[in-house]
Amino acid sequence: MSQTPPPPGPFQPGFWRSPIRGPWLTSVFGLVLLICIPLLFATGLLSYASYNPGLSPLNDQTPDKGVLGFYLFSWPTHPYWLYRLVQSVHVTLGVVLVPVLLAKLWSVIPKLFAWPPVRSVAHALERLSLLMLAGGVIFEFVTGILNIQLTYVFPGSFYRLHFYGAWVFIAAFVVHVSLRLGRMTRALRSRSLSAELRTDLAHTVPEPADPDGLVPAAPARPTMTRRGALGMVGGGSLLLLVVTAGQSIGGRLRATALLAPHNRDPGSGPNAFQINKTAAAVGVTPALVGPDWRLEIHGRGPALVLMREQLLAMPRHAAALPIACVEGWSTEDQHWSGPRLADLAALVGMPDAGSVLVQSIQPSGPFTRVVLRGNQIRDPRALLALRVNGADLSLDHGYPARVIVPANPGVNNTKWVHRLTFRT
């Protein structure tokens, strides 16, 4: 039986002609991703765990996660910079890997147009894993970068989409690695990296023909060396590191975070540090937090209702803690003061509270209500903050009162708190 000829265009064997494309270069990019993708996935899982998703449905926006949302431990409060580190690594690494990912996709793009599309059951499974891998990684990186830029053009919750997308991608990644690890190892051993880095344009020649069809059948004259390709990709990653990492590292490097939406100078004064959303953006007006504002504290017995002046009269404690957000940005340590959550729990007869429901006066939106675990309540640095850096909180930073807890995601350090409900 004669084989159907391939359609014109990218399906034709002579369409892809780059003489540097081949198993070795693909494997070099693949090795970088093989090392970095598991770290990216692990930090993503740790970021998920930091929300205490097993504690309450309010903390988790993936209600039908099933076994994918396994939860192995209570999120700790030590070290206090843990979430800042985890999320900054996750976001910065994801951005830095973009040139490597694009180079890897470029190096294997002929496989996406292989003809015939399916030659056997095994080939069909490999093709399916490749399509899931390419689609999954593009989806994860695109949604992640859009979230970093605070651009929510995709339907539904970023949290949910990114969570499920990560599991689809990592499943395809594991299948792909299991199928290709041997070939990648042989390809890496077939050429010397040091020799390739010394090879100039005049001596750049195609790799030997390979069964996967990455090496072109009719290669064009080289216009770039493999050394140049690696340098271009490495330089792109370094540039993205420079213009991104400062939003997490802070200090003078914050000014270099040109692609980060939170690199702007927040001004001067005690409340001059980054925020995610202003009070006006979420509908919190001065009238909602004016003289009539009260804090309700529920526990055993009747609720305790306190004015801000009464809270200020209570024993106040200090804690130097950063704010770190899921988009990867964070502040330096800010100096917060206010009553401890543990002391407020004791006021309503719950010194050993297992959790607390924190409710914001914010009219609507995700995470206006969150639940904190007992270990977070009892940490001596966990405060109902009334002041920061020696001054009252500004409205944008949560006036009249906000929660601040060590190693807690920024969105769970609820602003504009009006009710605390301690539970066993």
Side-chain angles (χ1 to χ4, degrees):
M1 181 181 297
S2 61
Q3 182 176 292
T4 304
F11 294 94
Q12 292 288 333
F15 184 86
W16 307 102
R17 302 189 61 198
S18 173
I20 64 172
R21 185 183 277 118
W24 182 84
L25 190 60
T26 295
S27 297
V28 172
F29 297 137
L31 179 62
V32 175
L33 294 175
L34 180 62
I35 295 170
C36 294
I37 290 295
L39 177 59
L40 198 63
F41 184 67
T43 51
L45 285 183
L46 289 173
S47 179
Y48 170 74
S50 69
Y51 285 79
N52 279 316
L55 182 60
S56 168
L58 295 174
N59 293 18
D60 189 2
Q61 296 185 13
T62 53
D64 302 317
K65 59 188 180 295
V67 297
L68 298 181
F70 67 89
Y71 189 71
L72 299 178
F73 60 94
S74 301
W75 186 250
T77 57
H78 299 273
Y80 73 91
W81 40 259
L82 178 60
Y83 181 76
R84 185 184 186 187
L85 174 65
V86 166
Q87 197 60 20
S88 64
V89 169
H90 182 74
V91 169
T92 304
L93 182 60
V95 172
V96 167
L97 284 179
V98 167
V100 184
L101 171 65
L102 293 177
K104 178 66 161 61
L105 292 174
W106 169 86
S107 73
V108 300
I109 196 170
K111 290 179 63 63
L112 298 178
F113 295 93
W115 192 267
V118 177
R119 295 192 295 266
S120 64
V121 173
H123 184 241
L125 292 174
E126 182 180 349
R127 295 275 289 170
L128 179 62
S129 73
L130 185 62
L131 290 174
M132 289 178 60
L133 181 69
V137 73
I138 291 172
F139 178 84
E140 285 298 285
F141 275 73
V142 168
T143 55
I145 290 171
L146 288 175
N147 181 64
I148 295 169
Q149 296 300 319
L150 307 177
T151 304
Y152 301 105
V153 296
F154 36 78
S157 164
F158 161 78
Y159 184 99
R160 186 179 297 116
L161 292 171
H162 206 65
F163 176 84
Y164 289 122
W167 280 109
V168 171
F169 164 63
I170 204 65
F173 180 79
V174 169
V175 171
H176 185 74
V177 169
S178 64
L179 292 173
R180 289 288 174 176
L181 185 59
R183 295 184 188 181
M184 185 186 80
T185 303
R186 290 191 295 271
L188 290 172
R189 290 174 176 171
S190 69
R191 305 175 83 85
S192 166
L193 175 62
S194 60
E196 286 295 336
L197 294 179
R198 294 192 302 269
T199 302
D200 59 17
L201 188 63
H203 295 88
T204 297
V205 296
E207 296 184 48
D210 69 299
D212 294 322
L214 295 179
V215 179
R221 291 175 60 85
T223 57
M224 177 182 286
T225 63
R226 294 181 182 87
R227 173 182 63 190
L230 293 175
M232 183 174 65
V233 172
S237 290
L238 180 60
L239 178 62
L240 288 176
L241 176 66
V242 169
V243 298
T244 302
Q247 70 167 347
S248 303
I249 298 172
R252 293 183 178 180
L253 289 178
R254 193 175 298 279
T256 69
L258 302 178
L259 294 186
H262 293 279
N263 72 312
R264 298 180 298 273
D265 183 357
S268 60
N271 280 270
F273 54 95
Q274 285 71 23
I275 58 172
N276 194 331
K277 295 179 181 178
T278 65
V282 298
V284 176
T285 64
L288 289 175
V289 295
D292 293 334
W293 176 88
R294 299 290 186 273
L295 175 71
E296 297 179 18
I297 309 177
H298 297 260
R300 290 193 176 95
L304 185 62
V305 180
L306 299 174
M307 297 184 296
R308 193 169 189 274
E309 290 73 15
Q310 292 173 294
L311 290 169
L312 287 168
M314 292 177 61
R316 275 185 282 163
H317 302 270
L321 300 172
I323 293 288
C325 206
V326 69
E327 292 92 0
W329 65 268
S330 59
T331 73
E332 288 81 9
D333 291 354
Q334 308 299 322
H335 296 271
W336 311 88
S337 64
R340 287 173 173 161
L341 293 182
D343 293 342
L344 297 177
L347 283 178
V348 290
M350 302 284 289
D352 297 318
S355 65
V356 59
L357 170 63
V358 183
Q359 294 174 265
S360 173
I361 207 167
Q362 180 181 332
S364 62
F367 299 105
T368 57
R369 298 183 298 161
V370 299
V371 179
L372 302 177
R373 193 175 287 277
N375 66 311
Q376 295 175 308
I377 298 170
R378 287 185 288 276
D379 191 292
R381 298 163 296 178
L383 308 177
L384 182 72
L386 307 174
R387 293 170 63 82
V388 63
N389 299 323
D392 287 343
L393 295 169
S394 67
L395 183 59
D396 284 341
H397 280 298
Y399 179 88
R402 69 171 298 163
V403 163
I404 186 74
V405 174
N408 205 28
V411 73
N412 280 4
N413 287 317
T414 308
K415 297 191 286 187
W416 313 295
V417 175
H418 82 104
R419 183 179 293 124
L420 299 172
T421 303
F422 292 95
R423 301 166 174 173
T424 57

